[in-house]
Amino acid sequence: MLEGLLIGLQTAFSLQNLLMVIGGCLIGTFIGMLPGLGPMSIIAIMIPVAISMGDPSAALILLAGVYYGAIFGGSTSSILLNAPGVAGTVASSFDGYPMAKQGKAGKALTIAAIASFAGGSIGALLLMVFAPALSSVALLFHSAEYFALMVVGLSAIAAFAGTGQVAKALMMTILGLIMATVGEGALFNLPRFTMGIMDLQSGFGFITLAMAMFALPEALFLVLKPKTPQDSQDGEIKDLRITCAEARAIAPVIGRQSLQGFFIGVLPGAGATIASFLGYAVERNIATKEEQEEFGKGSIKGLAAPETANNAACTGSFVPLLTLGIPGSGTTAILLGALIALNVTPGPRLMLDEPQIFWAVIMSMFIGNLVLLILNLPLIPYIAKVLSIPRNYLIPFILFFTLMGAYIGQNNATELLLLVAFGICATALRFADFPLAPLLIGFILGGMLEDNFARSMQLYDGIGFIWERPMTLGLLVIAALLVVLPSYRARRARLRAQGVADGD
């Protein structure tokens, strides 16, 4: 571990990677503040830029900086405008916006910055501790276990899809798996489902699909559902200091939610949004009656809890990504695709085969969180002015980089047609309240799933590997439970509610 830390420090502190950290944090902060534009959209747009660098360490550091920078900066619009920049900062508006209306906008932004910094830094420390433990099982993993692990990752999507969304998430995952079969197969190098189109022989482009799922629908949504400008804070934001009593009050909240948020982020399919809501709910439930009455009216604990949890969850989501090759959230699914495009295979052997990438990303998180703290505290009054930009001006920016990214990624005009077609379909699916992240995760994991399944079938002359390898069978049982349990709980809740209604 010490040797890995030294390698990571040497890589992360190179001039290029330091610039990548700072640049990623700046971009993420500004994008995160803009309502409706989340990290998935900007990361999808920036993937062609990252891939063109050629250095996997620099590319992943840049994209990771954008990721936690967007979550860090997303609190600004939540607090000032009650318009969350990203889904993970929705809970921050519950008490942040009331504080701003009370004239405590500066104090609220300071608490958010400190809580975010603490959550991200503690999460990075936990990542250093737990990631090597998970990667130590690398020698136990073969093709059969990798196949079962992919199944667990796919089934976990449904488990964390939310109430009433399990069936939709499963449908989108299956659609993603179907799309992954287009192109050459794992067993035979023959094109499949290409409909005679030569450009589809290598399958759908990940960059095209990612931007079609997230970036293009954002632009279309701005056109189809323009939002009326909300009241902004015209006065100068000042009084950024917090008292010693307030610091003592939020310190235990930050400690608890750093741990809870990190472990929620580790769960494949969870993420910053779930962590922030759970963090807010837990702190409200354990608070005294007097403190509970303050929640929703400007409680500093109600603001510190989700801000800590969502940043810790961002860091935690890198654990399954880097050590198991399973995306912990929709954003890390895009990062997984970027790694594969850079010919880096995340998984249990990443720490052994590519230690400079693994440890450089972790070290860059400490640097990035420090950069974000320095950036946010003194520049809060000036950064907040970005929120006055009309959202409609963002449409040409999004469309330009989306179209250019898709074309440059494949240097093929067919990708533009696919981008538009998929983007229109994705917009329709969003209107129908279908989650898009499961489709992208299914598409990314589909190729890996098929490759490992085909390899296992060849090694064991059939599906006997499922029973011959206990770890494979255990992982598949876990996958089955992850699919069945949410539906079972929902059905039991409906029966209980029906029984109560009949009793009345």
Side-chain angles (χ1 to χ4, degrees), residues 60-405:
L60 189 58
I61 286 172
L62 172 66
L63 296 176
V66 172
Y67 180 23
Y68 46 79
I71 299 295
F72 204 110
S75 59
T76 305
S77 57
S78 295
I79 292 169
L80 296 181
L81 301 180
N82 199 26
V86 296
T89 61
V90 172
S92 302
S93 64
F94 296 165
D95 285 284
Y97 187 60
M99 287 183 69
K101 289 199 296 184
Q102 297 166 13
K104 301 177 182 177
K107 188 185 294 290
L109 291 169
T110 300
I111 291 173
I114 293 172
S116 299
F117 170 75
S121 299
I122 295 172
L125 282 172
L126 294 172
L127 179 60
M128 288 173 54
V129 174
F130 286 97
L134 282 172
S135 65
S136 64
V137 300
L139 297 178
L140 301 176
F141 275 71
H142 298 284
S143 298
E145 283 74 29
Y146 275 113
F147 159 72
L149 201 58
M150 297 302 107
V151 176
V152 172
L154 292 170
S155 60
I157 296 168
F160 296 101
T163 306
Q165 294 286 311
V166 175
K168 288 184 176 180
L170 279 174
M171 289 171 62
M172 297 300 287
T173 304
I174 293 170
L175 180 58
L177 290 171
I178 292 172
M179 294 177 70
T181 62
V182 176
E184 294 182 353
L187 285 174
F188 308 102
N189 293 325
L190 295 173
R192 306 171 299 180
F193 314 120
T194 59
M195 296 171 288
I197 302 173
M198 288 295 296
D199 293 328
L200 293 181
Q201 190 161 340
S202 58
F204 296 121
F206 160 74
I207 296 172
T208 301
L209 189 61
M211 288 191 289
M213 289 297 106
F214 299 105
L216 194 58
E218 290 297 342
L220 295 177
F221 259 65
L222 290 175
V223 175
L224 297 173
K225 296 178 67 176
K227 294 186 177 180
T228 57
Q230 301 188 39
D231 294 332
S232 60
Q233 302 291 325
D234 295 327
E236 183 182 354
I237 297 175
K238 48 189 177 181
D239 188 22
L240 304 179
R241 292 175 295 181
I242 60 173
T243 64
C244 293
E246 290 170 335
R248 285 194 297 269
I250 63 174
V253 175
I254 289 173
R256 284 190 296 266
Q257 293 311 314
S258 294
L259 293 171
Q260 177 178 300
F262 176 81
F263 288 112
I264 291 173
V266 168
L267 298 172
T273 305
I274 294 174
S276 63
F277 280 110
L278 282 178
Y280 186 88
V282 167
E283 292 301 327
R284 186 182 184 281
N285 289 335
I286 66 174
T288 62
K289 287 187 177 181
E290 293 79 8
E291 290 176 335
Q292 283 184 359
E293 293 178 359
E294 294 179 10
F295 275 72
K297 301 176 182 177
S299 168
I300 58 173
K301 289 187 175 182
L303 174 60
E307 277 300 299
T308 305
N310 61 26
N311 280 269
C314 285
T315 309
S317 65
F318 279 85
V319 173
L321 173 68
L322 297 177
T323 63
L324 301 176
I326 297 176
S329 63
T331 308
T332 49
I334 298 178
L335 292 174
L336 173 61
L339 280 173
I340 294 172
L342 288 162
N343 296 320
V344 176
T345 303
R349 292 200 61 86
L350 179 63
M351 183 185 290
L352 304 176
D353 298 338
E354 303 279 358
Q356 73 280 5
I357 296 176
F358 183 89
W359 290 107
V361 171
I362 295 178
M363 290 297 104
S364 73
M365 289 179 180
F366 290 105
I367 302 171
N369 277 290
L370 185 60
V371 169
L372 287 167
L373 185 67
I374 296 172
L375 172 70
N376 276 263
L377 284 179
L379 299 182
I380 281 171
Y382 309 103
I383 293 174
K385 293 181 180 179
V386 176
L387 300 174
S388 60
I389 298 175
R391 295 184 68 199
N392 288 344
Y393 291 159
L394 298 174
I395 296 172
F397 170 82
I398 298 171
L399 288 175
F400 174 77
F401 282 99
T402 301
L403 293 170
M404 287 300 296

Side-chain angles (χ1 to χ4, degrees), residues 199-200 203-205 208 212 413-423:
D199 293 328
L200 293 181
F204 296 121
T208 301
T414 305
E415 295 298 317
L416 296 177
L417 299 176
L418 292 172
L419 174 73
V420 174
F422 287 147

